[in-house]
Amino acid sequence: MTMTMSEPTADPPSRTLVVSVVLFYIVAALAMIVANKWVLNATSAALFLLLVQLLISAFLLWIADLFRLFQDRLTLDIATCKALIPLIALNVTGLSFSNYTLKFVDTSFYQVARGLVLPFTVAASFFLLQTRPSVRILSACALVTAGFFIGVLLDGTPLSLVGIGFGVVSSLITAVATVVIKKSLPLVNDSSILLAWYSNVLSAVVLVPVMFVAGEGPAIFALLRGAPAPGAPEGTPSELPTFLWGSLVTGVVGFAMSVAGPLSIKVTSPISHMISAAVRGVASSFLGLWLFHDLISSGRAASIAVVLGGSIFYTWIKNEETKAAKTTGGYERVPMNEIDLERGSQLEERD
């Protein structure tokens, strides 16, 4: 049916809203990376740190709900929990691998180790949302991919292959999770706050057995007793003070991320959300140089520059394609159109 001027249409978010949300996400994510690295430098219980962050974030969401700070009330029902199992599995795995990546690599290399997020997201959008990328978008992805391999192969400082492996897998999971979040929003009435609540609570529940299976039990018990970590040299101070302060800071920032992340994906496209993540990664590299005295070799600097260049190239391409879409009555957030077609069947499944 041909759309007329009198028919109601869904207006896309304003540029001011999109820019504000993206900036909020970048600042919160940067604070999360720096605070996480500070704690992970002092503790070997990376998954336990993640669990405490999730619990603090869920508690703050609950407090905010008590004071009616959100339009949507927080609920928990079994049907929705079951429907969100794929998202929770991806969330736990992705966050765990991301923490391990940051634990094994420098803050300045974190951007490089997770440099394949954009290409993976384009691929995930193609396979899961049937969003066909243009040739120019593929060329931007190729440039970003080249930046990743420049950093891995030409970095002059010793690299952790384990950290790089965690980064690649984390990038893939993050890309898929971004698309799954977009498709999961209808299950919670398009409420990013409610989705953040479910994600934090259910991820914390799933993470409890996972961290013991991963072998963190001895480190956790030593931490709670105020004793040095297992295998630490004699006289090593307890990690507990740093862990407590770091958990508090990262938990509060995690609360901000719980709001900012899904909201960013909701008002932008999955790929645009990943662009903000790329900018965040570049900024974190400079923060690593300043705060943690990381070494940035010429290869690492070139890698960061190429990844940033590919991201800027992609942003320009999307801007041009958006202008072209507007002249033909198109809509920039193509993936969301695909989701709208499936909204009825998805809402029927949530209860």
Side-chain angles (χ1 to χ4, degrees), residues 54-342:
L54 291 171
L55 291 175
I56 292 176
S57 180
F59 175 74
L60 291 176
L61 285 169
W62 178 69
I63 292 296
D65 181 63
L66 288 180
F67 286 94
R68 306 293 194 272
L69 298 182
F70 302 137
Q71 181 178 357
D72 303 304
R73 298 306 309 276
L74 301 185
T75 60
L76 276 176
D77 67 83
I78 300 300
T80 304
C81 291
K82 291 180 178 179
L84 292 175
I85 287 177
L87 174 62
I88 300 306
L90 289 170
N91 191 49
V92 171
T93 309
L95 289 175
S96 300
F97 277 56
S98 179
N99 262 19
Y100 277 124
T101 303
L102 192 56
K103 180 176 179 61
F104 285 103
V105 303
D106 294 339
T107 307
S108 59
F109 192 76
Y110 184 72
Q111 158 69 10
V112 179
R114 302 187 75 249
L116 296 179
V117 173
L118 174 58
F120 282 153
T121 305
V122 172
S125 295
F126 174 73
F127 288 109
L128 299 179
L129 300 178
Q130 290 77 51
T131 304
R132 186 181 298 275
S134 66
V135 174
R136 293 193 298 176
I137 284 180
L138 292 177
S139 64
C141 291
L143 189 59
V144 172
T145 304
F148 167 79
F149 284 105
I150 289 173
V152 171
L153 300 177
L154 300 182
D155 196 304
T157 58
L159 297 177
S160 168
L161 294 180
V162 174
I164 294 173
F166 278 128
V168 172
V169 177
S170 173
S171 299
L172 176 59
I173 295 173
T174 299
V176 176
T178 302
V179 177
V180 173
I181 287 174
K182 196 82 168 183
K183 301 188 73 172
S184 298
L185 279 167
L187 300 174
V188 289
N189 296 324
D190 283 338
S191 170
S192 60
I193 296 298
L194 193 54
L195 185 61
W197 164 252
Y198 272 100
S199 296
N200 280 278
V201 172
L202 297 180
S203 295
V205 172
V206 173
L207 196 60
V208 172
V210 170
M211 64 186 186
F212 287 103
V213 172
E216 288 194 1
I220 294 172
F221 293 134
L223 180 65
L224 295 178
R225 294 196 313 267
E234 187 176 352
T236 301
S238 171
E239 304 168 352
L240 187 59
T242 300
F243 185 90
L244 290 177
W245 281 108
S247 296
L248 179 61
V249 172
T250 53
V252 173
V253 176
F255 166 72
M257 286 292 296
S258 296
V259 177
L263 185 60
S264 176
I265 295 172
K266 184 177 180 181
V267 304
T268 66
S269 69
I271 302 175
S272 299
H273 173 74
M274 287 301 100
I275 290 299
S276 66
V279 174
R280 173 206 68 195
V282 172
S284 71
S285 298
F286 290 101
L287 287 175
L289 176 65
W290 176 42
L291 297 175
F292 301 107
H293 309 290
D294 293 347
L295 296 176
I296 299 183
S297 64
S298 58
R300 185 175 300 186
S303 172
I304 295 172
V306 172
V307 170
L308 179 59
S311 300
I312 294 174
F313 182 41
Y314 166 83
T315 304
W316 177 79
I317 293 170
K318 288 297 293 182
N319 184 61
E320 293 298 307
E321 292 183 354
T322 299
K323 290 180 180 178
K326 287 182 178 179
T327 60
T328 58
Y331 181 43
E332 190 268 339
R333 293 188 298 147
V334 177
M336 199 59 190
N337 291 341
E338 299 291 338
I339 296 170
D340 289 339
L341 296 176
E342 303 171 4

